Amino acid sequence: AAAAPAPSSAASAPPAPAKVEAAKVEAAKSKGKVVATEVKPGLLSYLRPKPRWIFFPVFAAVCAWIIALNDQCDIKGKKKDCGYSGITPNACKTRACFLKGGKGYEKRTVKVTLEQGAALGLSLSRRDGAVVVSSILEGSVSLHNAAAATSEDVILAGDGITRVAIDGKVATNLADIEKAVTRPGAGKAVEIDVLRSRLPSFLQWVHDKGGTPNMVEKLLSSPGTLHFVSVWSRVGGVGFAAWYISGYSPASLPLYATLSAAVAWELSRCCHDESVGAGVPHCFRSKRDELPKVVQKVWAQTSEKVAQVLKDPRSYARW
């Protein structure tokens, strides 16, 4: 008799666990049941710890601690006016210090010595009716820039030129300035009045062509705004570090940014006082101390208060 065929190994082998699980999921879906599926972790989850809630409350407490104990309006001596007649307290505290002192351009005079047989070395062009340095060529200005002690003493591409004075001769229009910058000299001192934008290059399109700074220019270039950005970047850097080690998703980043902005605003805003005497401004500039100095001062106040409590705790308990 013929031997019975051997059973197929593929037919007798049990189905793989993955296939069984997949079949169960499909069957559940066909019956309208909700099936929980495994979510793959994101890339940052491999680099960051598990979520820990404690970091945001600590960061929030530190921000509140700085705002509560630092008195920005305790000004000793003369107060700098940053308002106008009839300004309201809200207007003073919200926008006055972020517009006062804002200028689209800052003017400075740069003194350059003409080298032997060399011209200034400035390539000029006309932009919106103004004389502008389009590039720095080889010449006395490039040598002056290389030896300048600070960035305020140099002439850069993009600067406006309003006046060039050589040997008592003053040039203020484009034709005369072009002649003056190409004229060689030896040991002569040249005074150049420079207009430099206070805005970064990617924002210089907001300049008013008429020369009068508009509200956007004032807002972006005012000392109050610059101080706000400086403080916000420092506090925000600490907040970003706290968010990163907290392990939470980027959805919580706006909370840290908002608290950082609150601290920056408190340290940059103006102060309003209705009870001042005649001749003293009602709306005046706050201290605007740097953040490390503010933290040191607040820490000193806290340490002093803790020492007082520890010295006589019963008096505070009765209170």
Side-chain angles (χ1 to χ4, degrees), residues 77-88:
K78 187 177 180 180
K79 298 178 180 178
K80 296 183 178 180
D81 190 0
C82 62
Y84 49 86
S85 178
I87 190 172
T88 63

Side-chain angles (χ1 to χ4, degrees), residues 12-35:
S12 60
K19 293 183 178 180
V20 173
E21 188 65 27
K24 290 181 179 179
V25 171
E26 291 299 328
K29 287 182 178 179
S30 64
K31 294 179 181 180
K33 296 181 179 180
V34 179
V35 180

Side-chain angles (χ1 to χ4, degrees), residues 39-50 243-244 247-250:
V39 179
K40 293 184 178 180
L43 178 60
L44 285 178
S45 63
Y46 295 104
L47 305 176
R48 301 174 63 201
K50 294 182 179 180
W243 163 81
Y244 186 84
Y248 281 91
S249 69

